[in-house]
């Protein structure tokens, strides 16, 4: 009889431990997902692209630093450390998120069609855009600093332009959402400059790099 009682107590203790572990697991906050793509009204700044021949762009996969090539947001905590935010994630892998945001931003500014996944119609000029994110630092309550480099190449005569720029955007507060908004603005700044490069190539002019 004592053995049966001891076994019952052990079973109850094991069940209580299992319930406590399940409760602890269930108490973890749900993951939050963010996008780098700004709303359409914000990305175009209310501008209506000029009417003319249809523009086709092809935005290549974006190269990013290894430390950013992950689904989690990465923010700088001090001069030597960065924090990988496990519960704060991009809606797709960061390099894909950045490519899609740039493609959407440039396309909206030019009234262009992104043919990256569909292919260019025959006998139509397109503009291939290759972008590298050289560096990105994001500080909650501080600023976002992003350094971009890119090449835009015409498909017909292979004329191209090479530019680089650094964008600095203040972060309004200490929330992760504030950091994401500043990142969106930085990406929008790069999309502005790239779209202007495409316009210059369309007009047969030399590109003016923003910085």
């Amino acid at each position: 009889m004592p053995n049966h009682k001891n076994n019952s107590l052990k079973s109850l203790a094991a069940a209580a431990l299992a319930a406590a572990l399940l409760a602890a697991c269930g108490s973890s906050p749900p993951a939050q997902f963010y996008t780098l793509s700004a709303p359409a009204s914000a990305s175009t700044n209310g501008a209506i692209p000029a009417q003319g021949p249809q523009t086709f762009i092809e935005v290549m996969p974006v190269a990013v630093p290894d430390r950013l090539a992950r689904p989690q947001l990465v923010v700088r905590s001090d001069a030597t450390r960065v924090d990988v935010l496990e519960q704060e994630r991009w809606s797709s892998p960061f390099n894909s998120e950045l490519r899609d945001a740039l493609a959407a931003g440039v396309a909206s500014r030019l009234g262009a069609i992104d043919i990256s996944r569909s292919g260019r119609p025959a006998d139509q000029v397109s503009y291939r855009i290759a972008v590298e994110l050289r560096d990105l630092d994001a500080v909650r309550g501080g600023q976002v600093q992003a350094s971009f480099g890119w090449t835009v190449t015409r498909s017909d005569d292979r004329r191209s332009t090479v530019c680089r720029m650094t964008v600095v955007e203040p972060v309004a507060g200490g929330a992760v959402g504030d950091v994401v908004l500043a990142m969106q603005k930085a990406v929008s700044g790069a999309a502005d400059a790239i779209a202007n490069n495409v316009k210059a190539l369309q007009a047969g002019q030399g590109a003016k790099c923003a910085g």
Side-chain angles (χ1 to χ4, degrees):
M1 185 70 177
N3 286 339
H4 178 71
K5 184 175 183 180
N6 288 339
N7 289 337
S8 297
L9 290 174
K10 289 179 181 179
S11 298
L12 288 172
L17 178 59
L21 289 174
L22 287 173
C25 292
S27 64
S28 299
Q32 302 295 318
F33 294 91
Y34 300 88
T35 179
L36 273 176
S37 296
S41 58
S43 65
T44 59
N45 295 318
I48 300 175
Q51 297 299 312
Q54 182 64 64
T55 300
F56 297 94
I57 61 171
E58 182 182 6
V59 182
M60 308 303 292
V62 177
V64 303
D66 287 345
R67 65 185 175 83
L68 301 175
R70 61 182 72 238
Q72 300 94 335
L73 271 74
V74 179
V75 297
R76 182 173 291 279
S77 54
D78 59 34
T80 60
R81 294 189 305 123
V82 295
D83 293 331
V84 178
L85 307 181
E86 289 294 338
Q87 301 303 317
E88 314 291 341
R89 295 174 174 249
W90 298 111
S91 60
S92 60
F94 179 70
N95 55 326
S96 297
E97 189 72 28
L98 180 55
R99 193 220 74 89
D100 291 347
L102 288 170
V106 174
S108 67
R109 286 159 174 78
L110 298 173
I113 296 175
D114 178 16
I115 60 171
S116 304
R117 296 183 176 94
S118 61
R120 173 170 56 90
D123 302 323
Q124 294 290 330
V125 177
S126 66
Y127 298 84
R128 175 171 288 192
I129 301 167
V131 182
E132 177 187 5
L133 178 66
R134 299 172 183 272
D135 193 25
L136 186 148
D137 272 332
V139 181
R140 282 190 271 197
Q143 66 181 27
V144 167
Q145 180 170 310
S147 297
F148 297 90
W150 65 84
T151 302
V152 182
T153 305
R154 282 182 64 121
S155 63
D156 55 349
D157 57 15
R158 310 306 297 172
R159 285 190 296 117
S160 64
T161 181
V162 180
C163 284
R164 65 174 60 186
M165 71 180 296
T166 297
V167 187
V168 178
E169 290 289 345
V171 177
V176 173
D178 297 322
V179 175
V180 173
L181 285 174
M183 287 185 177
Q184 286 183 350
K185 291 178 181 178
V187 173
S188 291
D192 279 336
I194 294 170
N196 287 335
N197 286 172
V198 174
K199 290 177 183 177
L201 282 176
Q202 285 178 312
Q205 301 171 353
K208 295 181 180 179
C209 295

